[in-house]
Amino acid sequence: MAQNTIRIETKNPRFATAPELYGLFFEDINHAADGGLYPERLRNRAFEDSLVPEGCETDPEHKIYINDGNWPGVFNHGEGMDEWLAAVPPTEIPAWYTENAEMTLLQAGTLNQNRKAALQVIFNQGGALKNIGYCGIHADTGERTRFYAFLKVQKNCTLTFELTADDGTVFGTESIKVQASTDYQRIEAGITCRQECSALSFVIRCDCRNEIIFGFTSLMPEHTLCGHGLREDLALQLKNTHSKFIRFPGGCVVEGINEQNTLAFSKTVGPVWERPSAQLMWHYRTTNGLGFHEYMQLCEDLGMEALYVLNCGMSCQARHGKGFPEDVTKKYLQEALNALEYALGSTDSRWGSLRAAMGHPEPFRLKYVEIGNENFGPEYTERYELFYRTLKEAYPGIIFISNGHTEREGLTTEIVDEHYYNAPEFFLENTDMFEDYPREGPDIFLGEYAVNGGKTIASMECALAEAAFLTGVEKNQDIVRLSAYAPLMQNSDYTAWKPNLIVFNNHTVYGIPSYHAISLMAKYRGENVTSLSLTGETEPPAYTGIPGILTEKEDFWFKNVMVDGRPVQQEEMEAIYGELRYDVEEQAYRMIFGNHRHHYTGKNDVWNKAFEDFIYSNSSREVPILWTMFHTGEKDETCFEFDARFAADNSVSFSVFNSCGASDAGCNEPRDAEWNRRRIRNQVWQIKDEKSALRVPRIFEKPVSEAEKVPTCIDYTCYNHYRIVADRFGYCCYINDQLIIEKKQPLHPVLHASCEMTDTKVYLKVVNVAAEEKELTIELDTRIESGIQIEYIEGSPEDQNSFEDPEHIAPKMISMDVAFDASEEDRFQVTVPPYSVSVYSFTKQ
């Protein structure tokens, strides 16, 4: 067995570290803002959730909406996803209920021009209006919450505000007298909770028969982060990541479901009751309480740089959006200029004066601006050039970020944003991804990354793969300057995407294993990246699965299928796409399109049907596919063989390692109830245009180069025998017993490492992805103190954190004394725990 050795050359620093390498990416997804970091406790406080999103159509039962790009979104009359709807009692106005009273949604006579609805309530004697919050309202013992509302009252009355439990127990109450008014008036009240409870409702009682029209309501805790209105425990969870910047507001919410619902800057500043709401693509409406000002204030309070993402005149291309017309694009350019003036302008400017009126006369710090989010193609290139040129001229001190490699189009590009969501082995196999990037090009922002596929998500397995990848990032800080895991926050009662770095409910919070791994690496930062060499054990990726055949045309016949020398029976064959038909005369199976369609799940029957129709009528695939699996048991070593006949113009693929993760990961839009190409983890032997090539299909797959293709001579008039012999270390592909192409799996180290240093400290980060502890020899070219400090996390790959066990995976700290060899340099051994991320801190003598 190879000896694991790391040699650290402290006297030969490579380059300075990127001071803001580790950051955060906040997107309003999973109710991360309203009801989360922005601790509004009344859900649907502006009564607009059930309104059909602007620019969209809906089905008769309001279960879905369809945007102008024919993309369906789950709606459920404003309640959002099916599981969110199922968790609450029925009501016509989401989150609001009456007792001995009647309520009606009004869309005229609203509070102001930006408010689209008001709530009319006819109270009978002793009647009540109730809001159930975000799966209940939480309040601590002695905690004081502040309620305010804008309302019109028909006659003088006394209103009583209560925090009550489902059994009617009152945990806090306050009463005020209200005068009759034909215009909206603002009322306020403070309620102190007598005892901690997380399942309260907020109740408004009227002492007489009365008509009250509510224009806007809010219930917020008095105690917030620095008194600036954000939930303190969640904000401290952000601070404890040791991050240096926050990317905001997205993410796909930047573009919105359409132009009417983009998060334009002007909609997110000023008094919250005057901010227009927006329907987010994550299945709920936001009132933008956490807007541009609150974001800038949060960055300041946490001591982090701001990285603001602006709309560049495009809707979400992933949802069949496109560029806006020229006049609308110029409107968004002006929105960008206004945002920068708000952050940086003097109090004499229009938007700088509004900042001062909101309580911050001094300019904010705004270091980075990203032009668009996940936009691409000629439409983006044109808009990027316009925005960059205009904004850079106005604010030359800001660093601007592009969504793509616009430098390849001859455009000035300072930083490029790259996103990577994939299975664990992708990150383990690509720790050297940035080694070959051209150093004369733009810097790289690893703007979104996460393991979101595999056997488990939000697990130690994911944390290990991401940490290993980050050691490669740390070793290339001369070009990779920024990074952020995505997404950041998940309200566990309103999950639309997972995994997320931080999970919370209405009263508590925990970080997933990746949170602790990334925070650990961000905690120990040096001033220079040191030269480091690692030698030792390696292993191949852990591919397992069953064999399969994929073809793009019906002209495909096969027979005599064998796996490990055993004939495969018909009941072991399954058509994943298309259908299988056995031809008695041919004595072979034919793969055909037939009438087989996939069925999608995850929201509701109307959504599923709409999405299914959308997929098949608006398919992004140029050609349909047929796919057959052979359920012979998942293996990591196998021999898969069969006889096949197909046309020369058919593109076919054979694979042995087809597996489908059992975890519910990724975007919680309709999920294919069956296996699909996006979820499958496999390795593929492809025969196309009379050439063979080997592929590992991924979301961000690089095209196969011509140099990687092998000419393949096949007699297409008859059956040929195809065979793949595979094990953990690679596979060989044969036609008629002749070796055509083979692959050696890329071996990755068992230990991954990076190292940084200051004048007095050396920080060595080691990730062990093996199931066994590893003896590691560490060599340094300088003398160090004998006492070293080790902070680490460890656990089994499937281990996860939870509300019941929030620190099942969490950092541990130990100190140890080491014995040195008798030499001028220090050389000693440590034992690295299995499945662990460790930071070794040395003090130079």
Side-chain angles (χ1 to χ4, degrees):
M1 181 178 295
Q3 183 182 31
N4 298 301
T5 301
I6 289 176
R7 179 164 181 81
I8 303 170
E9 304 284 351
T10 65
K11 298 175 183 177
N12 183 28
R14 298 181 60 203
F15 38 74
T17 56
E20 289 138 17
L21 179 64
Y22 289 100
L24 302 171
F25 163 50
F26 182 93
E27 179 174 9
D28 194 350
I29 184 172
N30 310 305
H31 271 296
D34 288 1
L37 186 58
Y38 180 77
E40 175 59 64
R41 290 176 173 173
L42 300 183
R43 183 161 60 87
N44 195 17
R45 67 177 180 175
F47 319 112
E48 297 169 354
D49 284 9
S50 58
L51 300 182
V52 177
E54 298 82 346
C56 298
E57 298 179 356
T58 184
D59 68 292
E61 296 182 356
H62 288 203
K63 288 190 173 184
I64 64 170
Y65 64 80
I66 304 290
N67 71 5
D68 51 6
N70 198 28
W71 187 274
V74 66
F75 189 48
N76 278 322
H77 199 61
E79 292 284 5
M81 292 168 55
D82 282 7
E83 50 265 45
W84 308 350
L85 173 68
V88 298
T91 177
E92 283 298 309
I93 302 173
W96 293 97
Y97 301 82
T98 57
E99 176 185 332
N100 198 25
E102 296 180 1
M103 62 180 177
T104 304
L105 193 68
L106 305 178
Q107 292 184 256
T110 60
L111 176 63
N112 54 57
Q113 63 180 2
N114 290 331
R115 295 271 64 84
K116 302 178 184 301
L119 184 64
Q120 178 192 55
V121 182
I122 307 296
F123 290 91
N124 293 315
Q125 186 75 32
L129 174 69
K130 179 175 74 171
N131 187 285
I132 61 173
Y134 294 87
C135 285
I137 293 170
H138 172 80
D140 291 318
T141 303
E143 180 182 7
R144 190 165 176 80
T145 57
R146 299 294 303 182
F147 171 75
Y148 71 86
F150 294 88
L151 47 76
K152 294 189 286 189
V153 183
Q154 189 177 67
K155 58 185 179 181
N156 297 349
C157 63
T158 297
L159 295 181
T160 299
F161 310 106
E162 299 174 352
L163 292 171
T164 66
D166 288 343
D167 62 3
T169 303
V170 177
F171 282 69
T173 184
E174 181 71 25
S175 296
I176 63 170
K177 294 184 181 300
V178 181
Q179 300 296 312
S181 172
T182 57
D183 295 323
Y184 282 103
Q185 59 177 306
R186 176 171 174 152
I187 63 166
E188 297 186 21
I191 304 99
T192 301
C193 188
R194 304 187 185 112
Q195 183 179 345
E196 180 183 0
C197 185
S198 299
L200 299 171
S201 295
F202 181 72
V203 178
I204 303 173
R205 299 189 184 277
C206 186
D207 68 338
C208 62
R209 180 174 176 81
N210 209 346
E211 178 190 66
I212 301 178
I213 297 176
F214 295 87
F216 189 86
T217 59
S218 178
L219 181 69
M220 296 277 280
E222 277 194 349
H223 180 76
T224 58
L225 178 73
C226 301
H228 290 142
L230 299 185
R231 182 171 153 178
E232 188 173 54
D233 63 334
L234 298 189
L236 292 179
Q237 196 83 354
L238 303 184
K239 186 177 181 65
N240 291 338
T241 62
H242 309 283
S243 296
K244 300 301 181 183
F245 70 87
I246 304 177
R247 179 178 178 236
F248 174 94
C252 294
V253 298
V254 170
E255 298 99 336
I257 60 173
N258 53 19
E259 195 275 326
Q260 295 94 320
N261 286 276
T262 58
L263 290 189
F265 154 76
S266 59
K267 299 178 183 178
T268 67
V269 289
V272 293
W273 54 87
E274 294 180 0
R275 299 179 188 179
S277 64
Q279 180 72 29
L280 301 180
M281 59 188 58
W282 304 118
H283 320 306
Y284 55 91
R285 186 176 283 267
T286 177
T287 58
N288 287 316
L290 177 49
F292 185 80
H293 182 94
E294 291 76 16
Y295 158 63
M296 298 299 297
Q297 187 67 67
L298 175 66
C299 292
E300 183 174 278
D301 291 342
L302 296 182
M304 300 181 189
E305 299 288 354
L307 194 165
Y308 179 59
V309 186
L310 54 86
N311 185 290
C312 65
M314 302 188 75
S315 54
C316 183
Q317 290 167 282
R319 289 160 179 82
H320 289 226
K322 55 187 178 180
F324 302 145
E326 182 179 358
D327 60 332
V328 179
T329 296
K330 288 183 177 179
K331 182 186 81 169
Y332 282 94
L333 177 58
Q334 188 60 52
E335 288 276 351
L337 288 165
N338 295 345
L340 302 190
E341 181 178 283
Y342 186 99
L344 303 171
S346 72
T347 55
D348 295 331
S349 65
R350 175 190 174 187
W351 292 101
S353 64
L354 178 58
R355 181 194 68 237
M358 294 295 291
H360 201 285
E362 294 301 316
F364 287 111
R365 282 179 54 84
L366 179 55
K367 186 171 183 178
Y368 300 99
V369 168
E370 183 165 358
I371 300 172
N373 170 76
E374 291 185 347
N375 298 127
F376 56 86
E379 287 183 301
Y380 174 69
T381 301
E382 177 184 351
R383 284 162 176 78
Y384 168 81
E385 182 179 19
L386 170 65
F387 274 66
Y388 180 83
R389 184 178 65 249
T390 305
L391 299 178
K392 192 67 175 180
E393 180 178 352
Y395 295 92
I398 290 178
I399 299 171
F400 290 93
I401 300 172
S402 173
N403 290 179
H405 284 274
T406 45
E407 80 281 2
R408 297 170 185 170
E409 305 297 325
L411 303 180
T412 302
T413 307
E414 299 176 58
I415 299 180
V416 170
D417 185 0
E418 297 187 358
H419 296 176
Y420 297 98
Y421 295 101
N422 225 304
E425 57 266 20
F426 169 85
F427 292 95
L428 291 174
E429 294 171 24
N430 285 279
T431 57
D432 61 350
M433 173 183 288
F434 301 106
E435 296 286 347
D436 297 329
Y437 271 50
R439 264 45 188 178
E440 65 277 6
D443 290 333
I444 302 300
F445 172 29
L446 190 59
E448 297 180 31
Y449 71 89
V451 172
N452 71 338
K455 295 180 180 178
T456 56
I457 58 170
S459 65
M460 188 63 184
E461 177 191 29
C462 305
L464 290 167
E466 291 154 358
F469 186 73
L470 288 172
T471 63
V473 168
E474 288 199 349
K475 288 186 284 191
N476 288 276
Q477 290 179 70
D478 60 325
I479 187 167
V480 185
R481 307 296 292 175
L482 306 162
S483 69
Y485 181 99
L488 179 61
M489 305 185 85
Q490 171 193 344
N491 187 325
S492 62
D493 293 312
Y494 298 93
T495 300
W497 177 294
K498 50 189 174 183
N500 304 269
L501 205 61
I502 296 168
V503 184
F504 67 92
N505 55 26
N506 66 11
H507 64 286
T508 191
V509 59
Y510 70 87
I512 66 173
S514 296
Y515 171 91
H516 293 290
I518 296 167
S519 300
L520 184 60
M521 298 187 74
K523 179 179 179 180
Y524 295 94
R525 301 301 315 283
E527 296 165 355
N528 291 284
V529 176
T530 65
S531 295
L532 175 148
S533 59
L534 169 63
T535 58
E537 301 170 61
T538 59
E539 64 181 19
Y543 281 104
T544 61
I546 61 176
I549 299 173
L550 182 148
T551 174
E552 294 183 354
K553 295 185 178 180
E554 288 187 319
D555 190 13
F556 187 91
W557 299 77
F558 70 89
K559 59 185 177 180
N560 301 328
V561 182
M562 305 274 286
V563 173
D564 298 334
R566 181 182 69 81
V568 175
Q569 305 303 313
Q570 183 172 354
E571 57 270 20
E572 296 176 293
M573 305 179 189
E574 180 189 8
I576 302 297
Y577 284 92
E579 295 181 11
L580 275 182
R581 290 187 182 174
Y582 184 75
D583 187 294
V584 176
E585 183 176 342
E586 186 84 11
Q587 293 189 333
Y589 294 93
R590 185 186 181 196
M591 295 168 67
I592 63 172
F593 297 134
N595 193 33
H596 185 80
R597 290 161 63 108
H598 269 208
H599 301 287
Y600 293 84
T601 63
K603 302 298 158 290
N604 55 54
D605 290 341
V606 175
W607 166 283
N608 298 336
K609 182 64 167 58
F611 195 83
E612 182 181 343
D613 290 343
F614 170 79
I615 287 294
Y616 283 91
S617 62
N618 299 276
S619 176
S620 60
R621 297 191 300 265
E622 294 182 1
V623 292
I625 60 171
L626 305 166
W627 202 355
T628 295
M629 293 297 182
F630 303 96
H631 295 279
T632 55
E634 292 203 1
K635 302 177 177 68
D636 59 9
E637 297 185 9
T638 189
C639 176
F640 173 44
E641 54 190 320
F642 53 90
D643 298 322
R645 174 170 60 85
F646 52 91
D649 62 352
N650 195 356
S651 174
V652 300
S653 297
F654 313 130
S655 53
V656 292
F657 295 135
N658 294 281
S659 65
C660 185
S663 58
D664 177 18
C667 184
N668 242 353
E669 288 172 347
R671 296 183 297 275
D672 198 324
E674 306 165 53
W675 286 26
N676 64 71
R677 291 208 292 182
R678 180 165 182 159
R679 293 180 66 198
I680 296 302
R681 305 161 73 190
N682 59 6
Q683 303 234 350
V684 167
W685 171 25
Q686 183 180 55
I687 300 176
K688 182 178 182 180
D689 299 327
E690 301 190 44
K691 292 183 179 180
S692 282
L694 302 176
R695 297 173 46 229
V696 182
R698 302 202 198 283
I699 297 173
F700 297 100
E701 181 185 357
K702 294 181 179 179
V704 177
S705 68
E706 287 301 316
E708 296 173 291
K709 298 177 182 178
V710 176
T712 303
C713 295
I714 297 175
D715 183 353
Y716 290 99
T717 65
C718 63
Y719 284 89
N720 295 274
H721 188 68
Y722 299 86
R723 176 163 52 101
I724 307 175
V725 180
D727 60 23
R728 297 175 62 243
F729 295 93
Y731 49 96
C732 298
C733 306
Y734 300 84
I735 300 177
N736 300 324
D737 296 324
Q738 179 181 353
L739 178 65
I740 303 299
I741 194 170
E742 62 181 322
K743 179 179 181 180
K744 299 296 182 185
Q745 296 284 27
L747 302 180
H748 61 75
V750 168
L751 299 181
H752 301 260
S754 60
C755 188
E756 299 175 0
M757 68 177 181
T758 66
D759 288 342
T760 59
K761 289 285 189 179
V762 178
Y763 301 121
L764 173 64
K765 302 169 186 181
V766 179
V767 181
N768 181 6
V769 299
E772 310 83 22
E773 64 180 26
K774 297 296 179 182
E775 295 300 319
L776 172 63
T777 298
I778 299 175
E779 299 176 350
L780 294 102
D781 64 352
T782 187
R783 301 295 293 183
I784 62 171
E785 301 290 343
S786 60
I788 66 174
Q789 175 184 288
I790 307 169
E791 190 168 4
Y792 67 101
I793 61 172
E794 65 174 334
S796 299
E798 67 276 6
D799 283 350
Q800 297 177 298
N801 290 340
S802 64
F803 289 119
E804 295 73 26
D805 192 0
E807 295 193 347
H808 181 66
I809 299 293
K812 304 172 186 176
M813 182 88 75
I814 60 173
S815 297
M816 62 178 291
D817 291 323
V818 296
F820 302 119
D821 292 345
S823 67
E824 292 183 2
E825 298 178 341
D826 283 346
R827 186 175 188 273
F828 56 93
Q829 283 193 328
V830 296
T831 301
V832 186
Y835 297 131
S836 63
V837 180
S838 305
V839 180
Y840 297 83
S841 299
F842 313 128
T843 301
K844 298 178 184 177
Q845 284 188 353

